[in-house]
């Protein structure tokens, strides 16, 4: 097999309200960056589409920097075709309907009635592509589920809703979102594989191994 092309999204997106304020989340980008590094080390050609983060870019991956969900979607579509798409980014589900050109005054009633519009679901759009769908489409699910059973059920529902091939599910009740460690379940339609709590680099290496193994094998859907 020649080197597979893998697109990974990582980090948060930020959705501007005005020149100084935005809506976003606590994603550090660590898990996506570590996965990009692990797959590049496997010899894959990795395009890493990243929201704003404060960590160093991984060696061997092509970094495409974006800010908003709309920019992230455009960058992903522009990077196709690919053998695999892995959506690790914590894409903001909503964005302000209007981006104010000047700083909003805090005494203005504007904040109380801030209008939001839904962002595109990039993972669902990539899963639903007809001609350019990557052979393997992987999503992440960050859930506050306390036990493994609940987490697996949430992951299975997400697998169907998004139309992807795998969901990597993790419980973010603790500090998984900004912290250095994580534990995950790899959920496909046929099986569930747990990866025990470990540093995000270790989780990424194991996920990278699984992704490369799936790309080497013929995929069933
Ligand atoms: O629905 P939820 O946000 O929990 O799904 C998480 C998965 O969907 C992640 O893989 C994330 O990158 C992706 N996603 C997306 N576009 C959105 C929201 C989530 O691609 N607007």
């Amino acid at each position: 097999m020649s080197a597979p092309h893998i697109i990974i999204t990582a980090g948060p997106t930020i959705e501007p309200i005005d020149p100084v304020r935005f809506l976003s989340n606590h994603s550090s980008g660590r898990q996506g960056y570590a996965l990009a590094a692990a797959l590049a080390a496997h010899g894959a050609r990795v395009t890493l589409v990243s929201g704003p983060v404060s960590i160093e870019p991984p060696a061997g991956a092509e970094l495409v920097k974006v800010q908003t969900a709309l920019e992230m979607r455009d960058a992903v579509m522009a990077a196709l075709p690919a053998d695999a798409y892995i959506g690790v980014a914590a894409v903001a589900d909503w964005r302000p309907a209007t981006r104010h050109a000047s700083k909003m005054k805090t005494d203005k009633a504007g904040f109380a009635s801030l209008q939001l519009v839904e962002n595109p679901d990039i993972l669902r759009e990539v899963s639903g592509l007809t001609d350019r769908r990557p052979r393997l489409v992987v999503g992440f699910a960050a859930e506050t589920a306390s036990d493994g059973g609940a987490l697996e059920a949430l992951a299975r529902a997400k697998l169907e809703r998004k139309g992807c091939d795998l969901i990597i599910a993790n419980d973010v009740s603790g500090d998984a979102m900004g912290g250095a460690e994580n534990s995950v379940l790899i959920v496909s339609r046929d099986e569930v594989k747990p990866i025990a709590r470990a540093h995000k680099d270790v989780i990424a290496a194991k996920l990278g191994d699984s992704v490369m193994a799936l790309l080497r094998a013929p995929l069933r859907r």
Side-chain angles (χ1 to χ4, degrees), residues 142-147 170-177:
E143 305 286 354
T144 47
S146 47
D147 65 273
N170 65 325
D171 182 359
V172 290
S173 321
D175 67 345
M177 201 141 185

Side-chain angles (χ1 to χ4, degrees), residues 9 85 87-93 119-124 138-143 158 161-162:
T9 64
Y85 172 81
V88 195
V91 183
D93 295 307
N119 269 327
D121 189 323
I122 305 168
L123 178 60
R124 234 175 77 176
V138 182
F140 269 65
E143 305 286 354
K158 193 155 294 186
R161 201 166 62 249
K162 305 275 189 174

Side-chain angles (χ1 to χ4, degrees), residues 84-176:
Y85 172 81
I86 309 177
V88 195
V91 183
D93 295 307
W94 298 85
R95 68 176 182 275
T98 312
R99 178 182 185 156
H100 291 262
S102 51
K103 187 179 170 190
M104 285 172 76
K105 298 280 175 270
T106 41
D107 59 356
K108 217 167 150 186
F111 283 107
S113 58
L114 195 64
Q115 297 283 318
L116 301 178
V117 292
E118 211 162 347
N119 269 327
D121 189 323
I122 305 168
L123 178 60
R124 234 175 77 176
E125 287 190 9
V126 172
S127 294
L129 290 171
T130 46
D131 50 341
R132 292 189 304 161
R133 186 191 195 278
R135 281 190 290 138
L136 180 67
V137 179
V138 182
F140 269 65
E143 305 286 354
T144 47
S146 47
D147 65 273
L151 190 60
E152 185 187 330
L154 289 167
R156 290 212 172 282
K158 193 155 294 186
L159 199 60
E160 294 314 320
R161 201 166 62 249
K162 305 275 189 174
C164 54
D165 307 305
L166 287 184
I167 286 283
I168 317 293
N170 65 325
D171 182 359
V172 290
S173 321
D175 67 345

